[in-house]
Amino acid sequence: MLDSVTTTQITVYVDEDQTLDAERSHTTEDYQYVAFSGSGVMELRDQTFLENPVTVTLQNTYTDPVIITTPYFTNDLRSPASIRVYDVSTNTFTAKLDTPTDNFPVVNTTFSDDIYYLVVEAGTWQIGDMKIEAQVDTVSTVNSYANGWTGTTTTFEHAFTGAPIVLHQVMSNNDSSWITSWASRTADRTNPPNTSGFQLGLNAAEVTTSNAHAAEDVGWIAFNNLGSGTVNGVDFRTFAQTELPLGHQTGCYTFTPGDTYSAPVPLIAQNSM
């Protein structure tokens, strides 16, 4: 989750739930980012996520949209949470704040906060030097602290020459219990995706020991890691970082990508476990 966004840097935090135990410590993980220079890909701002889902009308009409979100919580939200996307149509989707109910603290339940989101038509695309692949997979593999981290193998249609940046997002609400997505290198949960593909799964974290959850649609978008470039007139920067995923109460991580953007739109995914 994002804690702050400025023209030159972003501050992020990743938290553990406390359903099974009270500790929130964690080892380093791999995180991948894409930051855009303008708001052309940002369509949802200042909406209420704790009480009511929000239906978003897209700027364009798609045949098979793939949607990635990153929440930017500036209010008093200090517990693990994620954004659930569902009811996706050609020009709308619904989003809600999704939390592990067993350990969610009492907070202001009427605040409004932002999410950044990106929509790409499903398929493989080449825009200048940037290769982009967007797909939606139906994923039934549920992984967790109790069940281990062996996901469903996914391969790329694009031939990426270097390890791509992969963003991922749960895009259905077939089961209302909390879940999010995770990805890593195929058969290697401790490293991020490479050119051969990756493994993808539903992430139950420490919330459940049963791993019982209905299959969900998981959207993912892969970008070749160019470092920086321009897509349709919008500057962007891609970068990968290994960092310590501390919770908001135990420390945030600030990253300076090296560019100055007047209205940055960052999107982030964890790609190791």
Side-chain angles (χ1 to χ4, degrees), residues 34-104:
V34 180
F36 294 91
S37 63
S39 58
V41 295
M42 180 171 54
E43 304 176 14
L44 177 60
R45 298 283 293 179
D46 299 326
Q47 300 289 343
T48 301
F49 286 102
L50 241 68
E51 288 191 323
N52 300 304
V54 175
T55 297
V56 181
T57 300
L58 301 175
Q59 295 174 345
N60 301 297
T61 299
Y62 300 83
T63 300
D64 189 9
V66 181
I67 299 162
I68 303 296
T69 71
T70 295
Y72 178 17
F73 295 134
T74 58
N75 284 281
D76 188 20
L77 183 67
R78 299 294 180 257
S79 181
S82 58
I83 299 296
R84 178 77 71 97
V85 169
Y86 59 102
D87 288 348
V88 178
S89 73
T90 58
N91 65 345
T92 64
F93 70 88
T94 301
K96 68 175 181 177
L97 182 70
D98 207 10
T99 61
T101 55
D102 289 345
N103 69 328
F104 192 62

Side-chain angles (χ1 to χ4, degrees), residues 6-273:
T6 72
T7 58
T8 59
Q9 65 183 23
I10 59 174
T11 300
V12 301
Y13 63 100
V14 179
D15 216 343
E16 282 196 2
D17 68 277
Q18 297 173 285
T19 304
L20 294 183
D21 54 54
E23 62 85 16
R24 297 168 73 177
S25 61
H26 201 88
T27 187
T28 54
E29 300 286 8
D30 292 280
Y31 294 88
Q32 298 184 330
Y33 306 74
V34 180
F36 294 91
S37 63
S39 58
V41 295
M42 180 171 54
E43 304 176 14
L44 177 60
R45 298 283 293 179
D46 299 326
Q47 300 289 343
T48 301
F49 286 102
L50 241 68
E51 288 191 323
N52 300 304
V54 175
T55 297
V56 181
T57 300
L58 301 175
Q59 295 174 345
N60 301 297
T61 299
Y62 300 83
T63 300
D64 189 9
V66 181
I67 299 162
I68 303 296
T69 71
T70 295
Y72 178 17
F73 295 134
T74 58
N75 284 281
D76 188 20
L77 183 67
R78 299 294 180 257
S79 181
S82 58
I83 299 296
R84 178 77 71 97
V85 169
Y86 59 102
D87 288 348
V88 178
S89 73
T90 58
N91 65 345
T92 64
F93 70 88
T94 301
K96 68 175 181 177
L97 182 70
D98 207 10
T99 61
T101 55
D102 289 345
N103 69 328
F104 192 62
V106 177
V107 295
N108 175 11
T109 59
T110 59
F111 71 71
S112 296
D113 251 321
D114 301 339
I115 66 168
Y116 296 127
Y117 71 89
L118 171 67
V119 185
V120 173
E121 185 72 68
T124 57
W125 312 100
Q126 176 112 23
I127 306 173
D129 293 330
M130 171 61 78
K131 288 182 177 180
I132 301 174
E133 181 168 346
Q135 306 288 355
V136 178
D137 293 340
T138 299
V139 178
S140 59
T141 303
V142 180
N143 304 104
S144 68
Y145 173 83
N147 193 39
W149 303 101
T150 301
T152 300
T153 298
T154 299
T155 57
F156 298 117
E157 293 181 15
H158 254 320
F160 291 102
T161 56
I165 302 295
V166 179
L167 306 177
H168 45 88
Q169 168 77 53
V170 175
M171 285 179 50
S172 61
N173 196 33
N174 298 329
D175 185 331
S176 61
S177 58
W178 180 86
I179 204 77
T180 187
S181 56
W182 73 279
S184 76
R185 188 171 301 176
T186 301
D188 182 0
R189 69 179 182 87
T190 62
N191 281 293
N194 59 15
T195 56
S196 299
F198 60 102
Q199 58 180 346
L200 188 66
L202 299 176
N203 181 1
E206 296 182 7
V207 173
T208 178
T209 57
S210 68
N211 297 308
H213 193 98
E216 302 284 1
D217 293 334
V218 178
W220 56 268
I221 304 175
F223 307 80
N224 55 331
N225 191 4
L226 295 177
S228 61
T230 301
V231 173
N232 286 350
V234 178
D235 294 335
F236 68 87
R237 175 170 284 274
T238 60
F239 46 102
Q241 183 74 24
T242 300
E243 62 195 49
L244 190 64
L246 299 174
H248 194 282
Q249 293 177 333
T250 50
C252 298
Y253 181 88
T254 299
F255 187 79
T256 303
D259 298 291
T260 299
Y261 293 156
S262 60
V265 181
L267 298 148
I268 305 168
Q270 177 180 331
N271 286 334
S272 65
M273 295 301 300

